[in-house]
């Protein structure tokens, strides 16, 4: 069966379930097989009924003696059953599942898994999961498709949901872990039947890796935790190896196939520019400028990532690069993911460069003026036609642009020259990881903040202190300062539900402050004119509190703002919280970040507490990595460029190993002629990565 068969066409899944599975990003047979468990519950002990330890997780297997529903005084249903094995009998109880008596009947052989509780002196199995092993009506009943389940043990029969390490899956409403488990059990043998391994034999041997087929079986239905580790190692190796090989090959291709205009650097003119700036460049900024200038002098187009924490001063570096392009008679495009950021860039570039007769234009859905430098949104991709040769393309927060979209930006007019490319990101990924994730780019890191930056006092605020917090904000405002309030998180995108919740919150907030405090609401569904107006009002202190949805990019520089208050803070990744926090503390005033959460989970609170402790983006990213694992770093996952299911970005050893292996393959066979399966995997992966997100 084709791995890309849509799940809707698989028997036993169909349309309704495929809708549900979509939410788990399971669209094809292959996605289903790569929907991995996040946990395995150990129900492998099959206990004798007369010999069970209360509180332990275990399975029992026996005959159903009787089963009946009882209605409690409160009107609720309780299902009571008695199960017997050779050693004795035990009571089983389920709550509010009266339909069970239609499924489980006296005389059936059944397998149950759960925890035993003691009530009075009698042990009782409470709400166990169950599966029928043999039914008197259907004597040959077996669980479908689980022929590889271990039967060598003392188990009575082949079981899937009990009597083993039971895989627990990310589930969604309508598609429970049990249901998913059954479907994977059914389709795994079909998927793996003709599966060929794409990893080169030599690597498999050197690293002693599990075969792909076996790894997939073991990750879903391991006999023991040792098998889980073997499977994880192989699958993690795959993810890291493939990503890195893709990046290395892409880098080679970029070098070989493209030519740029080599630029000359007029040092004295650039020095003049830096002298006019109201500050001295940090050493990190100077280093980045040198690296960029060196790249731009070459015939191979620059493809460099400028990575730096919020507020580390990436824009001025970008402005200097664009000045170099200008001095060489070419135009620059600056692409940003949102209109708000675009306006901000236009203003900043103009401030820095207009004294040198450089014009800065803007290109968005609503406004179109061309300049020597043109700052724009996605509109640059669709409606913009350059006047002159584009010598430099700058992309801010690149992960929001798909590779395909970026490629379109580099397309030159003559068909011969590629612009130099500078990509900027504030996502604080440690250097080694950046090399993995962005292996196709050269890297400059601004690992130093401009001097005089203050710490932003950060507090996780319990709900009973909410009014105190509002009082504090009001006090700051009467002292002339301003605040941001990020409204509660509803959905990870700017849906109507998000906007509605924000509007309600806005109305509520207004009542919390005295009349003289002016609030403005910013959300992504506003027309760009309105957005701009609200932002300008905030900049000009006509608005004291800017209320914004979690989704809207508050990429604005307002040094007078001193408070960042965030609702549902637990829903954000630390990197994202840090970015939001970076909106304050930009001026000379003491600044604060207030984190609100309804979560009572210790782990969530603990994570938020690390915001109180840590001020540096890289450190927060590391902390987040340790606490949540890479796939869960919201900022990363949402941006779609890290989608590792198994590999841990904190596993430096494996990252290094896979990088070496990838480099070896790339060196010996850069076209992957000897490895057609690998070549196919890589081209699939590149296609996934270049989907706009
Ligand atoms: P980001 O890296 O987040 O894009 P910006 O480029 O917006 O940061 O810079 C943040 C603020 O820091 C701006 O107001 C900018 O003028 C200022 N800035 C940049 N570099 C320096 C520096 N070397 N010294 C002092 N302030 C600086
Ligand atoms: Mg910026």
């Amino acid at each position: 069966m084709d791995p890309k068969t849509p799940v809707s066409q698989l028997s036993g899944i169909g349309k309704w379930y495929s809708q549900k599975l979509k939410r788990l990003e399971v669209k094809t047979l292959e996605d289903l097989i790569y929907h991995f468990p996040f946990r395995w519950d150990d129900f492998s002990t099959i206990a004798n009924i007369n010999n069970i330890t209360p509180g332990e997780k275990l399975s029992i297997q026996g005959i159903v003696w009787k089963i009946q529903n009882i209605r409690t005084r409160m009107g609720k249903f309780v299902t009571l059953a008695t199960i017997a094995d050779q050693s004795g009998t035990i009571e089983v109880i389920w709550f509010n599942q009266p339909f069970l008596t239609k499924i489980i009947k006296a005389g059936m052989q059944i397998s149950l898994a759960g925890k035993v509780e003691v009530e009075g002196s009698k042990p009782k199995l409470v709400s166990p999961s169950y599966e029928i092993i043999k039914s008197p009506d259907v004597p040959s009943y077996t669980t479908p498709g689980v022929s590889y389940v271990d039967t060598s043990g003392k188990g009575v029969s082949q079981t899937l949901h009990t009597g083993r390490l039971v895989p627990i899956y990310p589930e969604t409403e309508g598609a429970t872990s049990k249901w998913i488990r059954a479907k994977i059990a059914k389709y795994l043998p079909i998927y793996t039947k003709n599966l060929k391994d794409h990893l080169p034999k030599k690597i498999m041997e050197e690293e002693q890796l599990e075969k792909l087929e076996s790894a997939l079986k073991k990750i879903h239905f391991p006999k023991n935790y040792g098998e889980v580790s073997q499977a994880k190692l192989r699958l993690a190796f795959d993810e890291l190896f493939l990503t890195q090989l893709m990046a290395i090959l892409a880098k080679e291709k970029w070098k070989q196939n493209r030519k740029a205009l080599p630029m000359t650097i007029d040092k004295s003119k650039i020095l003049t520019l830096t002298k006019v700036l109201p500050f001295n460049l940090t050493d990190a900024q100077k280093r980045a400028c040198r690296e960029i200038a060196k790249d731009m002098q070459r015939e191979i187009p620059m493809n460099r990532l400028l990575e730096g924490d919020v507020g580390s001063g990436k824009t001025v570096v970008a402005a200097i690069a664009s000045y170099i392009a200008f001095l060489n008679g070419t135009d620059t495009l600056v692409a940003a993911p949102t209109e708000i950021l675009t306006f901000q860039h236009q203003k900043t570039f103009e401030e820095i460069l207009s004294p040198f007769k450089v014009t800065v234009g803007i290109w968005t859905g609503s406004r179109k003026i061309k300049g020597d430098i043109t700052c724009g949104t996605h509109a640059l991709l669709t409606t913009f036609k350059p006047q002159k040769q584009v010598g430099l393309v700058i992309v801010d927060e690149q992960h929001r642009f798909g590779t395909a979209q970026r490629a379109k930006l580099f397309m030159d007019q003559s068909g011969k020259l590629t612009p130099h490319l500078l990509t900027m990101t504030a996502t604080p990924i440690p250097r080694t990881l950046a090399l993995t994730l962005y292996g196709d780019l050269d890297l400059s890191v601004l690992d130093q903040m401009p001097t005089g930056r203050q710490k932003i006092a950060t507090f996780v605020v319990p709900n009973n202190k909410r009014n105190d917090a509002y009082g504090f904000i009001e006090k700051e405002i009467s002292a002339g300062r301003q605040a941001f309030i990020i409204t509660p998180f509803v959905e990870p995108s700017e849906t109507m539900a998000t906007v509605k919740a924000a509007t309600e919150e806005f109305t509520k907030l207004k009542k919390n402050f005295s009349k003289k405090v002016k609030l403005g609401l910013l959300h992504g569904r506003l027309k760009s004119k309105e957005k701009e107006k609200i932002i300008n009002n905030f900049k000009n202190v006509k608005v004291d509190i800017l209320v914004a949805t979690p989704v809207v990019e508050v990429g604005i520089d307002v040094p007078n703002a001193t408070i960042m208050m965030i609702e549902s803070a637990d829903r954000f990744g630390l990197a994202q919280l840090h970015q939001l926090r970076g909106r304050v503390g930009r001026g000379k005033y003491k600044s604060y970040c207030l984190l609100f959460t309804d979560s009572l989970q210790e782990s969530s609170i603990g994570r938020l507490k690390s915001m109180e402790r840590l001020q540096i983006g890289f450190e927060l990213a590391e902390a987040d990595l340790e606490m949540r694992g890479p796939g869960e770093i919201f900022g990363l996952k949402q941006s779609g460029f890290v989608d590792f299911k198994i590999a841990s970005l904190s596993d430096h050893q494996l990252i290094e190993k896979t990088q070496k292996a990838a480099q070896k393959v790339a060196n010996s066979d850069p076209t992957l002629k000897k490895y057609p399966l690998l070549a196919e995997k890589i081209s699939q992966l590149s296609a996934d990565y270049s989907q706009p997100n």
Side-chain angles (χ1 to χ4, degrees), residues 307 309 427-434 573-576 578 607 610-611 613-630 633 636 648-652 655:
E307 195 197 339
D309 216 337
T427 309
I429 317 159
R431 185 178 261 275
T432 50
L433 305 186
L574 293 183
Q576 261 181 320
H578 179 66
R607 213 164 55 77
S610 60
M611 288 288 294
R613 263 192 347 265
L614 303 173
Q615 294 276 332
I616 297 169
F618 290 111
E619 289 175 7
L620 278 163
E622 292 268 23
D624 220 10
L625 261 176
E626 272 165 37
M627 282 183 268
R628 299 205 299 173
I633 298 181
L636 292 183
S648 161
L649 286 180
S650 38
D651 190 345
H652 295 286
I655 288 174

Side-chain angles (χ1 to χ4, degrees), residues 4 33 72 132 209 228 287 344 349 462 494 501 513 554 568 578 594 601 605 623 683:
K4 297 288 169 209
I33 301 305
T72 65
I132 293 151
L209 293 169
V228 173
R287 191 187 338 116
Q344 178 81 31
F349 275 75
E494 195 87 36
F513 295 99
V554 283
S568 320
H578 179 66
L594 309 177
Q601 266 187 17
I605 307 279
S683 77

